[in-house]
Amino acid sequence: MINRKAEKLGRERSVIREIFEYGQKRKSEIGAEHVYDFSLGNPSVSPPPSVDREIVRLIEDGPSTSLHGYTSASGAPETRRAIAEYLTRTHGFSVSGDSIYVTVGAAAALTSALGALVTKGEEVIVLAPYFPEYKVFIEKSGGRAVEVPSCPDFQPNIEAIKEAITPRTAAIIVNSPNNPSGAVITRERLEQLASVLSSAEAELGKSIYLIADEPYRELVYDGAEVPFIPSIYRDTVVCYSFSKSLSLPGERIGYVLVSPSIPECDSVFAAVAGAARSLGYVCAPSLMQRILPKVLGEVSDIAVYDRNRRLLLSELSSYGFECVPPSGAFYLFLKSPVPDANEFAMRARDFELLLVPSDSFGCPGYVRISYCVETEEIKRALPAFSALAKSYGLKG
Amino acid sequence: MINRKAEKLGRERSVIREIFEYGQKRKSEIGAEHVYDFSLGNPSVSPPPSVDREIVRLIEDGPSTSLHGYTSASGAPETRRAIAEYLTRTHGFSVSGDSIYVTVGAAAALTSALGALVTKGEEVIVLAPYFPEYKVFIEKSGGRAVEVPSCPDFQPNIEAIKEAITPRTAAIIVNSPNNPSGAVITRERLEQLASVLSSAEAELGKSIYLIADEPYRELVYDGAEVPFIPSIYRDTVVCYSFSKSLSLPGERIGYVLVSPSIPECDSVFAAVAGAARSLGYVCAPSLMQRILPKVLGEVSDIAVYDRNRRLLLSELSSYGFECVPPSGAFYLFLKSPVPDANEFAMRARDFELLLVPSDSFGCPGYVRISYCVETEEIKRALPAFSALAKSYGLKG
């Protein structure tokens, strides 16, 4: 029998996808240069040159049977070791390759981690605004998402999290730098969060895992600090992707780090492996695994993102829009001048501006502006933003 | 809470893996050339040269943002179209790109297809001997595997399948060429199977899907025919992988073909997409997707597998062993001279021969010999096989 739940999930286009496809249609009607598409989070800068250079070098060195052959399910030993050494060196927190499970991107890292840490009927706390797929992944793991709104400054609301914890709480997902708000959680707030979680663990006599979803870790501005959470909270599992830092989102390569501080870390690691196995993950793409030891720590040139961020923030603020100043990722979160952000995003379309209303991120009243585009495209779009502002009686 | 089922799945090494690791240890003790490892199904021939050539060409052509960027979840349109055109051309069965969902290898194709076609509590028929992961994948989809032993010649037992069908039957998995037996199902037997399934559909008033798992499609010998099942049975979903045909199992690239003959094929396709989404598959590795249009239809040089097959079959038969003559894949299925194949495989270790007992394939009494190795390794191992035969009173 066709699984109707899966069918529904396959049919329901995500809001973001829908806007993107509207944009494609509109571009064919009036010309691509007249449509200002800020809907997708697709990196617009190239991977560091070493990525393609290393691929070619590996091919020239051969043999291609081992280059393209299976690795262990958890990853090639030298890749796992290189990631562990990089983390140890960068964060001063000792990790060995045994704690690293190489994955088919961050989404696979999340579904594997959730499959490992959630048992049917348990709850997973998500901090709104959040990446909409969290709900899909949590439900697939047998769990239930419990939304906790963030504070007005988009930092975690510690009191609200405390109240949301129940004996059924299995985990909390923390995403910093945040998609869609661009906020970076401060060290102080993370320490408060760790303290609340530790107390709850002691009180409930069970582990509450913190799943740190960190695909945007390296995309930060003005020297913002992204603290390494395993050194702050014991029971942390990090889900990482090289999609944004190395600009290769299509290649699907990332990892799960099971913190060695977790008392039952061997069991958690085995459960990650078991979950990945049952989801059909055999190994992460081998060629991408093999380039990693040579390119770890490199980051695509994010100067263009920073330039876009500054430009948008100053201009849109000057038009009278209220923005959340982003410290990381490549999203600007802008407050809708009317309560219904869907209405605002629809009116923006009249000005050929494609913005994503925030409802599907669990935080109504905002739009997300993806600024991983050419700076020229932003400059061309500014008059449209100004006219949109004026249409709401703002300065424009 | 740690999901103990996932943990168990992660801890329990597959039998094959265990033998492989024993082999690694043994090789370090007595030297690799003295251990005859026939445990793994890892292609030993190189990919066609066009694979690496096309990777380098794409890198030189750039731009690398689009080369390594996201594709649609279902795959790059030109890749889907190329696969469809190849299938139409090769099998005279008209398929469009809309029927192709590009996947992260065959395992992802299977978990996505099962997630699409199975609803909690339903049954999936598997024909023993079968790939052990089928059970893991079926269980994850909420279904239950129902084993049906094959005939002595390893063709499907049509009567037994007929009896195994119940109102809860959602699907049947057919794997030809077969891992582990090497058998290729004849056209006649497939037609009988189609007839039984169609009658059952009519009687039960529901669809019974045939999931054709075909990673070994191109690995056939003596001109054996591998019929294209969608042209024989209406409700067919093909799961394919390029792992063996192009010798790149680590790169994880394959596809699901949802036959356009299926009455609700749009719904099935949407359900495959929804299942893949909830399992954490975002898209198949983009670089591999992009080489496919240029290398479709090419096959690694399998002459070495055929040479190995002939050598093993004639020699082992001459020692007095009973073998299933394999027409495809790269496995020889050998009957254990004693009822317990585990005991036989353990004794083979005394002769430094690493063979996989067939119990985990749901068909006790045999061992699987993977002959995707250098022919020289087989030649070196022949005296050991002979001595093993003699130890059971065979000719040797």
Side-chain angles (χ1 to χ4, degrees):
Chain A
M1 215 159 81
I2 298 173
N3 188 311
R4 299 296 170 184
K5 208 161 139 185
E7 182 188 351
K8 186 166 169 284
L9 214 51
R11 281 197 193 280
E12 82 188 8
R13 291 230 173 103
S14 78
V15 178
I16 298 169
R17 201 81 219 162
E18 199 157 53
I19 296 170
F20 173 75
E21 310 236 325
Y22 166 83
Q24 294 301 101
K25 188 174 141 274
R26 190 69 183 140
K27 282 174 189 173
S28 74
E29 287 165 7
I30 63 168
E33 70 282 16
H34 300 115
V35 181
Y36 314 114
D37 186 353
F38 300 103
S39 62
L40 280 195
N42 209 353
S44 57
V45 302
S46 294
S50 54
V51 165
D52 283 343
R53 209 161 51 215
E54 187 62 10
I55 293 174
V56 173
R57 193 189 69 79
L58 286 168
I59 286 176
E60 282 167 359
D61 280 12
S64 59
T65 33
S66 63
L67 186 57
H68 304 300
Y70 288 119
T71 69
S72 291
S74 53
E78 56 279 17
T79 303
R80 299 170 69 196
R81 200 181 313 120
I83 293 170
E85 284 169 7
Y86 172 75
L87 291 175
T88 303
R89 201 163 62 236
T90 309
H91 303 296
F93 183 90
S94 182
V95 173
S96 85
D98 294 343
S99 302
I100 305 291
Y101 195 96
V102 187
T103 63
V104 181
L110 283 166
T111 53
S112 302
L114 287 165
L117 299 174
V118 179
T119 300
K120 200 170 163 50
E122 287 192 313
E123 296 166 354
V124 179
I125 295 174
V126 295
L127 307 177
Y130 56 84
F131 181 48
E133 295 300 88
Y134 288 168
K135 271 196 155 169
V136 176
F137 298 161
I138 290 167
E139 206 169 296
K140 185 71 190 176
S141 75
R144 192 172 71 81
V146 174
E147 290 183 31
V148 174
S150 294
C151 294
D153 61 354
F154 294 93
Q155 293 288 319
N157 184 331
I158 303 298
E159 273 311 304
I161 292 169
K162 196 171 170 180
E163 277 169 34
I165 295 172
T166 77
R168 288 179 305 280
T169 305
I172 177 170
I173 302 181
V174 170
N175 172 224
S176 170
N178 183 263
N179 173 11
S181 74
V184 175
I185 305 178
T186 63
R187 176 175 289 277
E188 190 192 357
R189 201 60 68 95
L190 286 170
E191 284 168 352
Q192 292 166 355
L193 176 61
S195 159
V196 162
L197 294 177
S198 301
S199 301
E201 283 189 324
E203 197 182 311
L204 297 168
K206 63 173 286 191
S207 297
I208 298 177
Y209 296 96
L210 189 159
I211 299 175
D213 177 29
E214 302 193 339
Y216 300 98
R217 162 167 281 281
E218 288 80 11
L219 274 56
V220 285
Y221 313 106
D222 301 331
E225 184 201 11
V226 184
F228 186 65
I229 303 181
S231 62
I232 296 174
Y233 182 62
R234 190 189 64 179
D235 294 335
T236 297
V237 171
V238 178
C239 294
Y240 183 81
S241 162
F242 294 96
S243 290
K244 317 294 180 180
S245 58
L246 294 178
S247 285
L248 29 73
E251 303 298 358
R252 314 309 304 143
I253 182 91
Y255 61 80
V256 174
L257 160 65
V258 176
S259 171
S261 307
I262 296 174
E264 281 194 274
C265 61
D266 284 357
S267 292
V268 172
F269 192 88
V272 169
R277 178 181 168 192
S278 68
L279 300 172
Y281 292 101
V282 172
C283 65
S286 52
L287 178 60
M288 292 302 139
Q289 284 197 54
R290 292 180 204 288
I291 68 168
L292 281 185
K294 278 286 169 64
V295 303
L296 274 171
E298 297 202 38
V299 178
S300 298
D301 177 14
I302 63 167
V304 56
Y305 299 148
D306 195 18
R307 195 162 61 231
N308 294 353
R309 179 185 73 105
R310 289 168 189 275
L311 179 63
L312 270 177
L313 190 58
S314 75
E315 290 297 312
L316 300 196
S317 302
S318 80
Y319 301 159
F321 286 122
E322 205 177 307
C323 306
V324 180
S327 310
F330 39 46
Y331 306 110
L332 183 70
F333 216 43
L334 182 143
K335 191 158 193 191
S336 167
V338 288
D340 184 356
N342 292 291
E343 183 196 314
F344 176 58
M346 282 313 288
R347 185 179 306 178
R349 281 197 195 183
D350 295 341
F351 299 87
E352 311 301 347
L353 288 165
L354 305 186
L355 316 177
V356 180
S358 62
D359 295 60
S360 63
F361 298 105
C363 173
Y366 290 80
V367 292
R368 186 187 82 170
I369 302 173
S370 292
Y371 55 79
C372 46
V373 298
E374 303 286 330
T375 307
E376 280 312 306
E377 190 174 344
I378 293 181
K379 286 187 182 159
R380 278 204 314 274
L382 289 176
F385 275 113
S386 173
L388 175 63
K390 278 188 186 133
S391 83
Y392 281 102
L394 300 173
K395 206 173 134 225
Chain B
M1 213 160 81
I2 299 173
N3 187 311
R4 299 296 171 185
K5 208 162 139 184
E7 182 189 352
K8 186 165 169 283
L9 214 50
R11 282 197 193 281
E12 81 187 9
R13 291 231 174 103
S14 78
V15 177
I16 298 169
R17 200 81 219 161
E18 199 157 55
I19 297 171
F20 172 75
E21 312 236 324
Y22 166 83
Q24 294 301 99
K25 188 174 141 275
R26 191 67 183 142
K27 283 173 189 171
S28 73
E29 288 166 5
I30 63 168
E33 70 282 17
H34 301 114
V35 180
Y36 314 115
D37 185 353
F38 299 104
S39 63
L40 279 195
N42 209 353
S44 58
V45 302
S46 293
S50 54
V51 164
D52 283 342
R53 209 161 50 216
E54 187 62 10
I55 293 174
V56 173
R57 192 188 70 78
L58 286 167
I59 285 176
E60 282 167 358
D61 279 12
S64 59
T65 33
S66 62
L67 187 57
H68 302 300
Y70 288 119
T71 70
S72 291
S74 52
E78 57 279 18
T79 303
R80 298 171 69 196
R81 200 180 313 121
I83 293 170
E85 284 169 7
Y86 172 76
L87 291 175
T88 302
R89 201 164 62 236
T90 309
H91 303 297
F93 183 90
S94 183
V95 173
S96 85
D98 294 342
S99 303
I100 305 291
Y101 195 96
V102 186
T103 63
V104 181
L110 283 167
T111 52
S112 302
L114 287 166
L117 298 173
V118 179
T119 301
K120 200 169 162 52
E122 289 191 314
E123 296 166 354
V124 179
I125 296 174
V126 295
L127 308 177
Y130 57 85
F131 181 48
E133 295 300 88
Y134 288 169
K135 272 197 155 170
V136 176
F137 298 162
I138 291 167
E139 207 169 296
K140 186 70 189 175
S141 75
R144 193 172 70 80
V146 174
E147 289 183 31
V148 174
S150 295
C151 295
D153 60 355
F154 293 92
Q155 293 289 319
N157 184 329
I158 302 298
E159 275 310 305
I161 292 170
K162 196 170 171 180
E163 278 171 34
I165 296 172
T166 76
R168 289 180 304 280
T169 305
I172 177 170
I173 302 181
V174 169
N175 172 225
S176 169
N178 182 263
N179 172 12
S181 74
V184 175
I185 305 178
T186 63
R187 176 176 288 276
E188 190 191 357
R189 201 60 69 95
L190 285 170
E191 284 168 352
Q192 292 166 355
L193 176 61
S195 159
V196 161
L197 294 176
S198 301
S199 302
E201 283 188 326
E203 197 182 310
L204 297 168
K206 64 172 285 192
S207 297
I208 299 176
Y209 296 97
L210 189 158
I211 299 175
D213 177 30
E214 303 194 338
Y216 299 99
R217 163 166 281 281
E218 288 80 11
L219 274 57
V220 286
Y221 313 105
D222 301 332
E225 185 201 11
V226 183
F228 186 64
I229 302 181
S231 63
I232 296 174
Y233 182 62
R234 190 190 63 179
D235 295 334
T236 297
V237 171
V238 178
C239 294
Y240 182 80
S241 161
F242 295 96
S243 290
K244 318 293 180 180
S245 58
L246 294 178
S247 284
L248 28 74
E251 304 298 358
R252 314 309 304 143
I253 181 89
Y255 61 81
V256 175
L257 160 65
V258 176
S259 172
S261 308
I262 296 175
E264 280 194 275
C265 60
D266 284 356
S267 293
V268 172
F269 192 88
V272 169
R277 179 181 167 191
S278 68
L279 299 171
Y281 292 101
V282 174
C283 64
S286 52
L287 178 60
M288 293 301 140
Q289 285 198 53
R290 293 181 203 288
I291 67 167
L292 281 185
K294 278 286 169 65
V295 303
L296 274 170
E298 296 202 40
V299 178
S300 298
D301 177 15
I302 63 166
V304 56
Y305 299 149
D306 193 19
R307 194 162 61 232
N308 293 353
R309 179 185 74 105
R310 289 168 190 275
L311 179 63
L312 269 177
L313 190 59
S314 75
E315 289 299 311
L316 300 197
S317 301
S318 79
Y319 301 159
F321 285 121
E322 206 177 307
C323 304
V324 181
S327 309
F330 38 46
Y331 306 110
L332 183 72
F333 216 43
L334 182 144
K335 190 156 194 195
S336 166
V338 288
D340 183 357
N342 292 290
E343 181 196 315
F344 176 58
M346 282 312 289
R347 185 179 306 178
R349 280 196 196 183
D350 295 341
F351 299 87
E352 311 300 347
L353 288 164
L354 305 187
L355 316 177
V356 180
S358 61
D359 296 60
S360 63
F361 298 105
C363 172
Y366 290 80
V367 293
R368 186 188 81 170
I369 302 173
S370 292
Y371 55 78
C372 46
V373 297
E374 303 286 330
T375 307
E376 280 312 306
E377 190 173 344
I378 293 181
K379 285 186 183 159
R380 278 203 314 274
L382 289 176
F385 275 112
S386 174
L388 175 64
K390 278 187 185 134
S391 83
Y392 282 102
L394 300 173
K395 207 172 135 228

